[in-house]
PDB file of all heavy atoms in Angstrom:
ATOM      1  N   GLY A   8      -2.813   3.572   6.033  1.00 89.00           N
ATOM      2  CA  GLY A   8      -2.066   2.565   6.788  1.00 89.00           C
ATOM      3  C   GLY A   8      -2.634   2.357   8.177  1.00 89.00           C
ATOM      4  O   GLY A   8      -2.706   1.220   8.670  1.00 89.00           O
ATOM      5  N   GLY A   9      -3.043   3.443   8.823  1.00 90.00           N
ATOM      6  CA  GLY A   9      -3.637   3.312  10.151  1.00 90.00           C
ATOM      7  C   GLY A   9      -4.955   2.562  10.126  1.00 90.00           C
ATOM      8  O   GLY A   9      -5.229   1.713  10.985  1.00 90.00           O
ATOM      9  N   LEU A  10      -5.777   2.860   9.125  1.00 92.00           N
ATOM     10  CA  LEU A  10      -7.054   2.148   8.987  1.00 92.00           C
ATOM     11  C   LEU A  10      -6.822   0.666   8.694  1.00 92.00           C
ATOM     12  O   LEU A  10      -7.545  -0.201   9.199  1.00 92.00           O
ATOM     13  CB  LEU A  10      -7.885   2.781   7.869  1.00 92.00           C
ATOM     14  CG  LEU A  10      -8.478   4.160   8.178  1.00 92.00           C
ATOM     15  CD1 LEU A  10      -9.019   4.796   6.904  1.00 92.00           C
ATOM     16  CD2 LEU A  10      -9.590   4.042   9.221  1.00 92.00           C
ATOM     17  N   LEU A  11      -5.806   0.378   7.874  1.00 92.00           N
ATOM     18  CA  LEU A  11      -5.487  -1.015   7.575  1.00 92.00           C
ATOM     19  C   LEU A  11      -5.049  -1.748   8.834  1.00 92.00           C
ATOM     20  O   LEU A  11      -5.465  -2.881   9.088  1.00 92.00           O
ATOM     21  CB  LEU A  11      -4.394  -1.092   6.515  1.00 92.00           C
ATOM     22  CG  LEU A  11      -3.843  -2.494   6.244  1.00 92.00           C
ATOM     23  CD1 LEU A  11      -4.933  -3.425   5.721  1.00 92.00           C
ATOM     24  CD2 LEU A  11      -2.669  -2.430   5.267  1.00 92.00           C
ATOM     25  N   ALA A  12      -4.189  -1.107   9.636  1.00 91.00           N
ATOM     26  CA  ALA A  12      -3.728  -1.741  10.869  1.00 91.00           C
ATOM     27  C   ALA A  12      -4.895  -2.095  11.772  1.00 91.00           C
ATOM     28  O   ALA A  12      -4.959  -3.199  12.339  1.00 91.00           O
ATOM     29  CB  ALA A  12      -2.753  -0.808  11.596  1.00 91.00           C
ATOM     30  N   ARG A  13      -5.838  -1.190  11.884  1.00 89.00           N
ATOM     31  CA  ARG A  13      -7.007  -1.445  12.749  1.00 89.00           C
ATOM     32  C   ARG A  13      -7.914  -2.515  12.142  1.00 89.00           C
ATOM     33  O   ARG A  13      -8.495  -3.329  12.867  1.00 89.00           O
ATOM     34  CB  ARG A  13      -7.747  -0.142  12.984  1.00 89.00           C
ATOM     35  CG  ARG A  13      -6.906   0.852  13.796  1.00 89.00           C
ATOM     36  CD  ARG A  13      -7.541   2.213  13.934  1.00 89.00           C
ATOM     37  NE  ARG A  13      -6.626   3.143  14.602  1.00 89.00           N
ATOM     38  CZ  ARG A  13      -5.802   3.973  13.961  1.00 89.00           C
ATOM     39  NH1 ARG A  13      -5.814   4.023  12.633  1.00 89.00           N
ATOM     40  NH2 ARG A  13      -4.989   4.755  14.642  1.00 89.00           N
ATOM     41  N   ALA A  14      -8.021  -2.523  10.811  1.00 90.00           N
ATOM     42  CA  ALA A  14      -8.826  -3.563  10.156  1.00 90.00           C
ATOM     43  C   ALA A  14      -8.211  -4.938  10.382  1.00 90.00           C
ATOM     44  O   ALA A  14      -8.922  -5.914  10.671  1.00 90.00           O
ATOM     45  CB  ALA A  14      -8.944  -3.264   8.662  1.00 90.00           C
ATOM     46  N   LEU A  15      -6.895  -5.013  10.278  1.00 89.00           N
ATOM     47  CA  LEU A  15      -6.232  -6.297  10.504  1.00 89.00           C
ATOM     48  C   LEU A  15      -6.361  -6.739  11.952  1.00 89.00           C
ATOM     49  O   LEU A  15      -6.563  -7.928  12.235  1.00 89.00           O
ATOM     50  CB  LEU A  15      -4.753  -6.183  10.116  1.00 89.00           C
ATOM     51  CG  LEU A  15      -4.464  -6.077   8.618  1.00 89.00           C
ATOM     52  CD1 LEU A  15      -3.001  -5.708   8.382  1.00 89.00           C
ATOM     53  CD2 LEU A  15      -4.796  -7.391   7.901  1.00 89.00           C
ATOM     54  N   ARG A  16      -6.260  -5.782  12.873  1.00 87.00           N
ATOM     55  CA  ARG A  16      -6.440  -6.114  14.278  1.00 87.00           C
ATOM     56  C   ARG A  16      -7.845  -6.657  14.537  1.00 87.00           C
ATOM     57  O   ARG A  16      -8.032  -7.587  15.309  1.00 87.00           O
ATOM     58  CB  ARG A  16      -6.202  -4.874  15.145  1.00 87.00           C
ATOM     59  CG  ARG A  16      -4.746  -4.464  15.259  1.00 87.00           C
ATOM     60  CD  ARG A  16      -3.954  -5.373  16.162  1.00 87.00           C
ATOM     61  NE  ARG A  16      -4.433  -5.309  17.541  1.00 87.00           N
ATOM     62  CZ  ARG A  16      -4.298  -6.291  18.431  1.00 87.00           C
ATOM     63  NH1 ARG A  16      -3.728  -7.427  18.072  1.00 87.00           N
ATOM     64  NH2 ARG A  16      -4.738  -6.146  19.655  1.00 87.00           N
ATOM     65  N   SER A  17      -8.833  -6.078  13.849  1.00 85.00           N
ATOM     66  CA  SER A  17     -10.209  -6.544  14.035  1.00 85.00           C
ATOM     67  C   SER A  17     -10.399  -7.953  13.504  1.00 85.00           C
ATOM     68  O   SER A  17     -11.325  -8.657  13.921  1.00 85.00           O
ATOM     69  CB  SER A  17     -11.191  -5.587  13.341  1.00 85.00           C
ATOM     70  OG  SER A  17     -11.120  -5.712  11.932  1.00 85.00           O
ATOM     71  N   HIS A  18      -9.526  -8.375  12.575  1.00 81.00           N
ATOM     72  CA  HIS A  18      -9.547  -9.744  12.060  1.00 81.00           C
ATOM     73  C   HIS A  18      -8.708 -10.680  12.924  1.00 81.00           C
ATOM     74  O   HIS A  18      -8.545 -11.860  12.580  1.00 81.00           O
ATOM     75  CB  HIS A  18      -9.032  -9.781  10.617  1.00 81.00           C
ATOM     76  CG  HIS A  18      -9.987  -9.209   9.606  1.00 81.00           C
ATOM     77  ND1 HIS A  18     -11.019  -9.941   9.053  1.00 81.00           N
ATOM     78  CD2 HIS A  18     -10.077  -7.980   9.056  1.00 81.00           C
ATOM     79  CE1 HIS A  18     -11.690  -9.184   8.194  1.00 81.00           C
ATOM     80  NE2 HIS A  18     -11.133  -7.986   8.185  1.00 81.00           N
ATOM     81  N   GLY A  19      -8.123 -10.163  14.003  1.00 83.00           N
ATOM     82  CA  GLY A  19      -7.348 -10.999  14.908  1.00 83.00           C
ATOM     83  C   GLY A  19      -5.882 -11.130  14.562  1.00 83.00           C
ATOM     84  O   GLY A  19      -5.174 -11.956  15.158  1.00 83.00           O
ATOM     85  N   ALA A  20      -5.392 -10.335  13.604  1.00 83.00           N
ATOM     86  CA  ALA A  20      -3.992 -10.429  13.187  1.00 83.00           C
ATOM     87  C   ALA A  20      -3.107  -9.556  14.068  1.00 83.00           C
ATOM     88  O   ALA A  20      -3.524  -8.492  14.536  1.00 83.00           O
ATOM     89  CB  ALA A  20      -3.854 -10.004  11.731  1.00 83.00           C
ATOM     90  N   GLY A  21      -1.886 -10.013  14.283  1.00 84.00           N
ATOM     91  CA  GLY A  21      -0.896  -9.176  14.932  1.00 84.00           C
ATOM     92  C   GLY A  21      -0.353  -8.179  13.915  1.00 84.00           C
ATOM     93  O   GLY A  21      -0.121  -8.527  12.759  1.00 84.00           O
ATOM     94  N   VAL A  22      -0.162  -6.943  14.332  1.00 88.00           N
ATOM     95  CA  VAL A  22       0.230  -5.887  13.402  1.00 88.00           C
ATOM     96  C   VAL A  22       1.404  -5.093  13.971  1.00 88.00           C
ATOM     97  O   VAL A  22       1.432  -4.763  15.157  1.00 88.00           O
ATOM     98  CB  VAL A  22      -0.955  -4.913  13.147  1.00 88.00           C
ATOM     99  CG1 VAL A  22      -0.538  -3.831  12.152  1.00 88.00           C
ATOM    100  CG2 VAL A  22      -2.168  -5.673  12.628  1.00 88.00           C
ATOM    101  N   GLY A  23       2.356  -4.792  13.108  1.00 86.00           N
ATOM    102  CA  GLY A  23       3.471  -3.928  13.464  1.00 86.00           C
ATOM    103  C   GLY A  23       3.745  -2.981  12.315  1.00 86.00           C
ATOM    104  O   GLY A  23       3.157  -3.096  11.240  1.00 86.00           O
ATOM    105  N   GLY A  24       4.637  -2.029  12.539  1.00 86.00           N
ATOM    106  CA  GLY A  24       4.922  -1.083  11.482  1.00 86.00           C
ATOM    107  C   GLY A  24       6.077  -0.180  11.825  1.00 86.00           C
ATOM    108  O   GLY A  24       6.687  -0.281  12.898  1.00 86.00           O
ATOM    109  N   LEU A  25       6.363   0.719  10.895  1.00 86.00           N
ATOM    110  CA  LEU A  25       7.460   1.665  11.031  1.00 86.00           C
ATOM    111  C   LEU A  25       6.889   3.072  11.177  1.00 86.00           C
ATOM    112  O   LEU A  25       6.045   3.492  10.381  1.00 86.00           O
ATOM    113  CB  LEU A  25       8.366   1.594   9.795  1.00 86.00           C
ATOM    114  CG  LEU A  25       9.617   2.457   9.793  1.00 86.00           C
ATOM    115  CD1 LEU A  25      10.623   1.947  10.824  1.00 86.00           C
ATOM    116  CD2 LEU A  25      10.249   2.458   8.396  1.00 86.00           C
ATOM    117  N   VAL A  26       7.322   3.786  12.203  1.00 84.00           N
ATOM    118  CA  VAL A  26       6.890   5.173  12.425  1.00 84.00           C
ATOM    119  C   VAL A  26       8.125   6.040  12.627  1.00 84.00           C
ATOM    120  O   VAL A  26       9.189   5.545  12.991  1.00 84.00           O
ATOM    121  CB  VAL A  26       5.946   5.308  13.641  1.00 84.00           C
ATOM    122  CG1 VAL A  26       4.654   4.551  13.403  1.00 84.00           C
ATOM    123  CG2 VAL A  26       6.620   4.823  14.915  1.00 84.00           C
ATOM    124  N   ARG A  27       7.961   7.342  12.438  1.00 84.00           N
ATOM    125  CA  ARG A  27       9.104   8.240  12.551  1.00 84.00           C
ATOM    126  C   ARG A  27       9.258   8.855  13.934  1.00 84.00           C
ATOM    127  O   ARG A  27      10.326   9.364  14.268  1.00 84.00           O
ATOM    128  CB  ARG A  27       9.004   9.351  11.498  1.00 84.00           C
ATOM    129  CG  ARG A  27       9.296   8.872  10.090  1.00 84.00           C
ATOM    130  CD  ARG A  27       9.343  10.027   9.115  1.00 84.00           C
ATOM    131  NE  ARG A  27       8.031  10.654   8.964  1.00 84.00           N
ATOM    132  CZ  ARG A  27       7.826  11.757   8.252  1.00 84.00           C
ATOM    133  NH1 ARG A  27       8.840  12.365   7.662  1.00 84.00           N
ATOM    134  NH2 ARG A  27       6.610  12.259   8.134  1.00 84.00           N
ATOM    135  N   ARG A  28       8.205   8.836  14.734  1.00 86.00           N
ATOM    136  CA  ARG A  28       8.260   9.514  16.039  1.00 86.00           C
ATOM    137  C   ARG A  28       7.804   8.598  17.161  1.00 86.00           C
ATOM    138  O   ARG A  28       6.910   7.764  16.987  1.00 86.00           O
ATOM    139  CB  ARG A  28       7.397  10.777  16.008  1.00 86.00           C
ATOM    140  CG  ARG A  28       7.906  11.836  15.038  1.00 86.00           C
ATOM    141  CD  ARG A  28       7.103  13.118  15.139  1.00 86.00           C
ATOM    142  NE  ARG A  28       5.734  12.941  14.672  1.00 86.00           N
ATOM    143  CZ  ARG A  28       5.366  13.040  13.387  1.00 86.00           C
ATOM    144  NH1 ARG A  28       6.268  13.284  12.460  1.00 86.00           N
ATOM    145  NH2 ARG A  28       4.099  12.877  13.042  1.00 86.00           N
ATOM    146  N   GLU A  29       8.412   8.793  18.339  1.00 88.00           N
ATOM    147  CA  GLU A  29       8.065   7.971  19.493  1.00 88.00           C
ATOM    148  C   GLU A  29       6.623   8.191  19.925  1.00 88.00           C
ATOM    149  O   GLU A  29       5.976   7.260  20.422  1.00 88.00           O
ATOM    150  CB  GLU A  29       9.015   8.271  20.656  1.00 88.00           C
ATOM    151  CG  GLU A  29      10.432   7.778  20.433  1.00 88.00           C
ATOM    152  CD  GLU A  29      11.314   7.998  21.646  1.00 88.00           C
ATOM    153  OE1 GLU A  29      10.816   8.553  22.650  1.00 88.00           O
ATOM    154  OE2 GLU A  29      12.501   7.610  21.586  1.00 88.00           O
ATOM    155  N   GLN A  30       6.103   9.411  19.722  1.00 89.00           N
ATOM    156  CA  GLN A  30       4.708   9.669  20.084  1.00 89.00           C
ATOM    157  C   GLN A  30       3.762   8.778  19.273  1.00 89.00           C
ATOM    158  O   GLN A  30       2.753   8.290  19.795  1.00 89.00           O
ATOM    159  CB  GLN A  30       4.354  11.141  19.848  1.00 89.00           C
ATOM    160  CG  GLN A  30       5.154  12.108  20.717  1.00 89.00           C
ATOM    161  CD  GLN A  30       6.381  12.633  19.994  1.00 89.00           C
ATOM    162  OE1 GLN A  30       7.082  11.887  19.309  1.00 89.00           O
ATOM    163  NE2 GLN A  30       6.631  13.926  20.152  1.00 89.00           N
ATOM    164  N   GLN A  31       4.107   8.573  18.002  1.00 85.00           N
ATOM    165  CA  GLN A  31       3.298   7.682  17.167  1.00 85.00           C
ATOM    166  C   GLN A  31       3.407   6.242  17.667  1.00 85.00           C
ATOM    167  O   GLN A  31       2.410   5.509  17.695  1.00 85.00           O
ATOM    168  CB  GLN A  31       3.761   7.775  15.711  1.00 85.00           C
ATOM    169  CG  GLN A  31       3.539   9.137  15.070  1.00 85.00           C
ATOM    170  CD  GLN A  31       4.234   9.265  13.730  1.00 85.00           C
ATOM    171  OE1 GLN A  31       5.365   8.811  13.551  1.00 85.00           O
ATOM    172  NE2 GLN A  31       3.549   9.880  12.774  1.00 85.00           N
ATOM    173  N   GLN A  32       4.594   5.864  18.053  1.00 87.00           N
ATOM    174  CA  GLN A  32       4.809   4.518  18.591  1.00 87.00           C
ATOM    175  C   GLN A  32       3.961   4.295  19.833  1.00 87.00           C
ATOM    176  O   GLN A  32       3.305   3.242  19.977  1.00 87.00           O
ATOM    177  CB  GLN A  32       6.289   4.327  18.914  1.00 87.00           C
ATOM    178  CG  GLN A  32       6.641   2.930  19.417  1.00 87.00           C
ATOM    179  CD  GLN A  32       8.107   2.853  19.838  1.00 87.00           C
ATOM    180  OE1 GLN A  32       8.627   3.763  20.493  1.00 87.00           O
ATOM    181  NE2 GLN A  32       8.771   1.781  19.447  1.00 87.00           N
ATOM    182  N   ASP A  33       3.941   5.276  20.727  1.00 87.00           N
ATOM    183  CA  ASP A  33       3.178   5.150  21.968  1.00 87.00           C
ATOM    184  C   ASP A  33       1.676   5.078  21.688  1.00 87.00           C
ATOM    185  O   ASP A  33       0.956   4.291  22.317  1.00 87.00           O
ATOM    186  CB  ASP A  33       3.470   6.339  22.885  1.00 87.00           C
ATOM    187  CG  ASP A  33       4.908   6.348  23.394  1.00 87.00           C
ATOM    188  OD1 ASP A  33       5.548   5.280  23.362  1.00 87.00           O
ATOM    189  OD2 ASP A  33       5.381   7.418  23.799  1.00 87.00           O
ATOM    190  N   ALA A  34       1.207   5.898  20.748  1.00 87.00           N
ATOM    191  CA  ALA A  34      -0.220   5.901  20.425  1.00 87.00           C
ATOM    192  C   ALA A  34      -0.654   4.559  19.854  1.00 87.00           C
ATOM    193  O   ALA A  34      -1.720   4.029  20.204  1.00 87.00           O
ATOM    194  CB  ALA A  34      -0.534   7.023  19.446  1.00 87.00           C
ATOM    195  N   LEU A  35       0.159   3.985  18.974  1.00 84.00           N
ATOM    196  CA  LEU A  35      -0.183   2.695  18.375  1.00 84.00           C
ATOM    197  C   LEU A  35      -0.098   1.572  19.399  1.00 84.00           C
ATOM    198  O   LEU A  35      -0.896   0.632  19.366  1.00 84.00           O
ATOM    199  CB  LEU A  35       0.739   2.409  17.184  1.00 84.00           C
ATOM    200  CG  LEU A  35       0.513   3.295  15.956  1.00 84.00           C
ATOM    201  CD1 LEU A  35       1.631   3.105  14.943  1.00 84.00           C
ATOM    202  CD2 LEU A  35      -0.837   2.977  15.313  1.00 84.00           C
ATOM    203  N   ALA A  36       0.855   1.668  20.321  1.00 84.00           N
ATOM    204  CA  ALA A  36       0.976   0.644  21.367  1.00 84.00           C
ATOM    205  C   ALA A  36      -0.292   0.562  22.191  1.00 84.00           C
ATOM    206  O   ALA A  36      -0.697  -0.513  22.635  1.00 84.00           O
ATOM    207  CB  ALA A  36       2.184   0.939  22.251  1.00 84.00           C
ATOM    208  N   GLY A  37      -0.940   1.717  22.377  1.00 85.00           N
ATOM    209  CA  GLY A  37      -2.195   1.731  23.122  1.00 85.00           C
ATOM    210  C   GLY A  37      -3.309   0.983  22.427  1.00 85.00           C
ATOM    211  O   GLY A  37      -4.314   0.622  23.054  1.00 85.00           O
ATOM    212  N   GLU A  38      -3.144   0.725  21.123  1.00 82.00           N
ATOM    213  CA  GLU A  38      -4.127  -0.031  20.361  1.00 82.00           C
ATOM    214  C   GLU A  38      -3.663  -1.462  20.087  1.00 82.00           C
ATOM    215  O   GLU A  38      -4.264  -2.169  19.274  1.00 82.00           O
ATOM    216  CB  GLU A  38      -4.410   0.670  19.029  1.00 82.00           C
ATOM    217  CG  GLU A  38      -4.971   2.068  19.174  1.00 82.00           C
ATOM    218  CD  GLU A  38      -5.297   2.683  17.828  1.00 82.00           C
ATOM    219  OE1 GLU A  38      -6.067   2.069  17.065  1.00 82.00           O
ATOM    220  OE2 GLU A  38      -4.782   3.771  17.530  1.00 82.00           O
TER     221      GLU A  38
END
Side-chain angles (χ1 to χ4, degrees):
L10 288 168
L11 173 62
R13 294 174 186 94
L15 289 169
R16 287 286 296 154
S17 72
H18 287 276
V22 181
L25 183 69
V26 296
R27 287 187 294 174
R28 295 186 293 275
E29 290 184 359
Q30 297 95 318
Q31 295 169 319
Q32 183 185 43
D33 293 340
L35 290 170
E38 299 183 56

